[in-house]
Amino acid sequence: MKKHPLISYLLKITYLSLILCFVVLFSLLVVPKEYISLNTPYYILMFFVVTYISYAFMYYAPKKFNLKFEQAFLITKFIKMLVYILVLVVVIFAHIEKNIKFAICYMVLYLIYQIFDTISMKKLVKQKNMDKK
């Protein structure tokens, strides 16, 4: 029996997030404290939630809202970027932590989740094209 695509994606992103949590835990022991943010688990949670919600929107939006896939894709990318920039601005201007710690952790997590999201979207597009045929 084949799993629902959202359940499959949830498992994949959960595994990715757990691996990242263990990497952060290990890096706290190895990397100097001035380069690792102690708030990284919260950033992982934020990226997890935003990425999963955007994938779910990409999966359901074309059917429910009568959107083309490209329109749904652009909407989700725009909203995700707004959320990421909002968090970036709040953390920097509220002086929650030092900028170098935040910048390193946030950019690494951003790149990892964007690569994961791009690969997942490519698979979703292939699946949608196969379903049409």
Side-chain angles (χ1 to χ4, degrees):
M1 186 168 156
K2 195 172 180 180
K3 289 182 186 173
H4 191 275
L6 289 180
I7 301 296
S8 175
Y9 186 77
L10 180 63
L11 291 174
K12 289 176 189 174
I13 197 168
T14 301
Y15 295 147
L16 173 70
S17 298
L18 287 174
I19 290 169
L20 286 174
C21 285
F22 283 116
V23 167
V24 168
L25 184 64
F26 177 73
S27 64
L28 284 173
L29 301 173
V30 177
V31 178
K33 299 280 186 211
E34 51 271 351
Y35 297 112
I36 296 290
S37 170
L38 295 177
N39 294 328
T40 304
Y42 299 114
Y43 303 139
I44 291 172
L45 181 64
M46 181 211 50
F47 280 106
F48 173 87
V49 169
V50 170
T51 304
Y52 184 72
I53 290 172
S54 70
Y55 187 83
F57 182 78
M58 287 293 299
Y59 185 77
Y60 286 122
K63 295 175 190 171
K64 280 196 171 188
F65 302 116
N66 201 13
L67 292 173
K68 292 182 180 177
F69 186 81
E70 295 81 14
Q71 292 170 329
F73 178 79
L74 289 175
I75 290 170
T76 57
K77 289 297 180 185
F78 180 74
I79 293 173
K80 280 174 61 172
M81 187 56 69
L82 281 179
V83 169
Y84 295 153
I85 289 173
L86 179 68
V87 169
L88 181 78
V89 168
V90 167
V91 169
I92 288 176
F93 287 128
H95 301 291
I96 294 174
E97 57 186 325
K98 292 187 179 184
N99 291 344
I100 188 72
K101 287 179 170 184
F102 173 70
I104 291 171
C105 292
Y106 199 78
M107 289 308 296
V108 168
L109 289 174
Y110 176 77
L111 287 174
I112 290 170
Y113 277 94
Q114 284 301 89
I115 290 169
F116 177 78
D117 189 45
T118 303
I119 293 168
S120 300
M121 286 298 154
K122 185 177 176 183
K123 289 180 183 176
L124 181 63
V125 168
K126 280 185 179 179
Q127 179 187 12
K128 294 274 186 182
N129 287 340
M130 291 292 204
D131 291 343
K132 285 182 182 178
K133 292 181 179 181

